[in-house]
Amino acid sequence: MRADILEGLNAERAGRRAAILVTDIADGTQRLVREADIAGDALAEPLGRHLAAGRSGLIEAGGRTLFLTVQVPPVRLVVVGAVHITQALVPMAAALDLAVTVIDPRTAFASPERFPGVELVADWPEAAFGGAVPPLDRYCALAALTHDPKIDDPALKAALSAECFYIGALGSRKTHAARAVRLIEAGFSEAQMARIRAPIGLAIGAVSPAEIALSVLAQVVAALRRAPREAAS
Amino acid sequence: MISTESDILNTAAAWRRDGRAVALATVIETWGSAPRPVGSHLVVEEDGNFLGSVSGGCVEGAVITEAADAIADGKPRVIEFGVADETAWRVGLSCGGRIRIFVERID
């Protein structure tokens, strides 16, 4: 591999942009295809397919065997609400290699004593995104856990606009129905409402904060790992 | 801490910038119950220091030897390990899977 290709791959990753390294395994020749250039590439179809699945793999093209190293940005999990569930969720998320940020404008909740060593932003979501917190993107999961529309709604709007791969919101079906009415009034579509997992978490009968945290993280992992395959089938 | 693919590729670039000779091994194909997924990396430098894994420990030693050869001659190579392979009984994958690994020098 040429050092400049390696540096390019690392730069795309640092910039949170997907990229695919195409290697001819017979002679080692390589090229780097950035996410924005995939649609116009001669191999657009297989590159797009591998990118959507987030999977590296071998392909045959023009009589050559090519290995596609698919690099997608590290997943970030943004939790809105420095609540009891979040305290249980943060160490579990760390074990899953998810980079977690916790946002809550209520300083009594968002205190370093409650969240030691955690990236914690005591601000409103709309002020946090683009400020102390990098903007949301497709490689972010957002869990809205405050149960307060003043705090959750702006975060959900930002997540829908950024097309986060996972969007979940705490609250009963009734709470969510009222939330959907508000978001649709604000200009979001029915299809976008279907993207919000509410009530949040897989249905495992979770009771304690830690169990709810587990159900939320399991749902995040399912969205990350299963969604592309299900969409393709 | 477990090194991520990000740590591994950043380390490869950092070692290269230091002027060290570096080779990168990548799992390109697996069959059966292989321990590391396709796309996993192992980076090796000239003194044999390495980061990452391609098999969870079973064949790393053999891969590092191949990496040293790739550093020496600059030729990329594909190596295969598995139960069907004579060498597998010596270095082999105890899980019974098979893996193919691409090894290349960083120039």
Side-chain angles (χ1 to χ4, degrees):
Chain A
M1 190 191 298
R2 298 202 319 259
D4 63 310
I5 289 182
L6 176 61
E7 298 281 4
L9 197 60
N10 289 343
E12 292 306 294
R13 193 170 58 254
R16 291 187 62 79
R17 293 178 299 271
I20 299 180
L21 176 67
V22 182
T23 303
D24 185 324
I25 65 164
D27 61 14
T29 55
Q30 285 167 322
R31 63 194 182 94
L32 182 63
V33 184
R34 290 171 178 80
E35 186 174 12
D37 300 327
I38 288 175
D41 195 89
L43 297 174
E45 190 280 321
L47 293 185
R49 189 158 32 84
H50 275 263
L51 180 71
R55 281 172 205 280
S56 299
L58 289 167
I59 61 166
E60 298 290 330
R64 313 289 297 179
T65 302
L66 306 174
F67 182 73
L68 306 182
T69 303
V70 176
Q71 177 175 278
V72 294
V75 170
R76 287 167 53 205
L77 171 61
V78 176
V79 182
V80 175
V83 298
H84 200 173
I85 296 168
T86 311
Q87 288 177 289
L89 185 144
V90 164
M92 293 185 199
L96 292 168
D97 274 337
L98 297 169
V100 184
T101 306
V102 178
I103 301 173
D104 198 322
R106 303 167 299 181
T107 50
F109 286 83
S111 74
E113 291 74 25
R114 284 164 53 80
F115 291 90
V118 177
E119 193 182 322
L120 191 62
V121 179
D123 207 343
W124 292 86
E126 55 270 56
F129 297 131
V133 179
L136 295 174
D137 59 37
R138 288 168 48 215
Y139 302 98
C140 290
L142 180 122
L145 304 179
T146 70
H147 215 276
D148 179 343
K150 289 196 304 298
I151 305 169
D152 283 352
D153 280 13
L156 292 169
K157 289 173 184 170
L160 288 168
S161 299
E163 297 180 14
C164 291
F165 77 90
Y166 172 88
I167 306 171
L170 192 73
S172 65
R173 284 173 209 290
K174 197 175 156 193
T175 301
H176 184 60
R179 177 190 292 131
V181 169
R182 290 193 305 274
L183 292 175
I184 287 168
E185 276 173 6
F188 291 92
S189 68
E190 293 280 357
Q192 285 175 304
M193 291 309 101
R195 294 220 49 233
I196 302 176
R197 316 294 179 100
I200 198 169
L202 291 186
I204 58 171
V207 174
S208 69
E211 289 169 3
I212 296 168
L214 178 68
S215 77
V216 171
L217 286 172
Q219 198 169 39
V220 170
V221 171
L224 181 65
R225 300 298 183 200
R226 292 177 60 185
R229 249 183 317 179
E230 284 172 359
S233 64
Chain B
M1 205 182 108
I2 300 164
S3 53
T4 63
E5 298 306 311
S6 181
D7 299 331
I8 295 162
L9 294 178
N10 285 331
T11 298
W15 281 347
R16 194 69 204 89
R17 280 196 299 271
D18 278 355
R20 294 192 241 180
V22 180
L24 182 69
T26 306
V27 177
I28 59 169
E29 202 167 15
T30 65
W31 298 264
S33 61
R36 295 281 291 142
V38 168
S40 299
H41 293 302
L42 171 78
V43 61
V44 189
E45 52 90 279
E46 58 196 20
D47 293 332
N49 292 306
F50 69 97
L51 188 70
S53 75
V54 288
S55 77
C58 318
V59 300
E60 264 66 14
V63 172
I64 289 164
T65 302
E66 286 287 338
D69 292 347
I71 285 173
D73 67 18
K75 292 195 183 96
R77 58 251 281 149
V78 175
I79 51 177
E80 187 172 326
F81 299 97
V83 288
D85 182 347
E86 183 65 20
T87 59
W89 295 106
R90 281 179 278 127
V91 290
L93 290 165
S94 55
C95 54
R98 276 200 296 158
I99 56 175
R100 270 171 94 203
I101 297 168
F102 181 74
V103 183
E104 63 190 312
R105 186 171 72 185
I106 311 288
D107 290 317

